[in-house]
Amino acid sequence: MKGAIIVIISLLIIGFGLFRWFQPSSAGVPNLVLSETPQAVSVSLHSERRSGITGTLLLATEGEETLATMSLSTLTAASSTPITAAYRATIYRGSCAFFGKVAYVLSEVKNNQAVTTLPIGLSALTEEGPMAIALETVDESEVNLVACGEIEF
């Protein structure tokens, strides 16, 4: 009987030791801080002035910078503005109803797409306040807004 008690106690000690051995240790491991900043933000561009052009702007974290990827599409086959044209894409402070100062100029949109690296991280971009992306045609005499989207973080 005495031998059985010793075996049971030994097994309990070994079991407790193994249990402690396989438990994750927090020693030397930094605390994880969950970020409130998104890793990517998608912005829908809606057609302006019956252009028939819509699109999407994807803002994604790329280290200390933000990768801005734009793609365009048309609402109808009979769009009044040809989608084959090149467009200027600009991020303004403010909204589609009221553009403020220019915040960032994106690469020219050709063949329905453009990719631009912004010299600011997405987390810092979210702190700059309300912004809007404007897609415009540029003629020698005038600038025409064809699509716009509000950037919401």
Side-chain angles (χ1 to χ4, degrees), residues 45 56-57 68-72 86-92 102-110 113-116 118 132-138 143-148:
L45 280 80
T56 302
L57 173 68
T69 306
M70 180 175 288
S71 59
L72 302 180
Y87 299 96
R88 179 174 69 190
T90 308
I91 297 177
Y92 290 95
V102 172
Y104 302 97
V105 176
L106 304 184
S107 299
E108 188 175 75
V109 181
K110 294 180 181 177
Q113 58 189 358
V115 177
T116 307
L118 301 177
I133 176 78
L135 186 67
E136 303 158 321
T137 60
V138 182
V143 174
N144 294 306
L145 181 68
V146 294
C148 188

Side-chain angles (χ1 to χ4, degrees), residues 1-8:
M1 179 78 163
K2 187 176 184 183
I5 293 175
I6 292 175
V7 169
I8 292 173

Side-chain angles (χ1 to χ4, degrees), residues 59-115:
L59 299 170
T61 298
E62 180 105 351
E64 296 295 317
E65 299 172 320
T66 300
L67 188 64
T69 306
M70 180 175 288
S71 59
L72 302 180
S73 57
T74 59
L75 290 172
T76 63
S79 171
S80 63
T81 305
I83 201 159
T84 56
Y87 299 96
R88 179 174 69 190
T90 308
I91 297 177
Y92 290 95
R93 299 189 194 291
S95 66
C96 289
F98 177 75
F99 294 132
K101 292 183 178 181
V102 172
Y104 302 97
V105 176
L106 304 184
S107 299
E108 188 175 75
V109 181
K110 294 180 181 177
N111 299 320
N112 305 339
Q113 58 189 358
V115 177

Side-chain angles (χ1 to χ4, degrees), residues 24-54:
S25 171
S26 61
V29 177
N31 289 334
L32 295 177
V33 178
L34 297 177
S35 173
E36 295 286 328
T37 304
Q39 296 300 305
V41 174
S42 180
V43 181
S44 295
L45 280 80
H46 57 271
S47 177
E48 292 283 341
R49 301 182 184 154
R50 298 183 183 178
S51 71
I53 296 175
T54 62

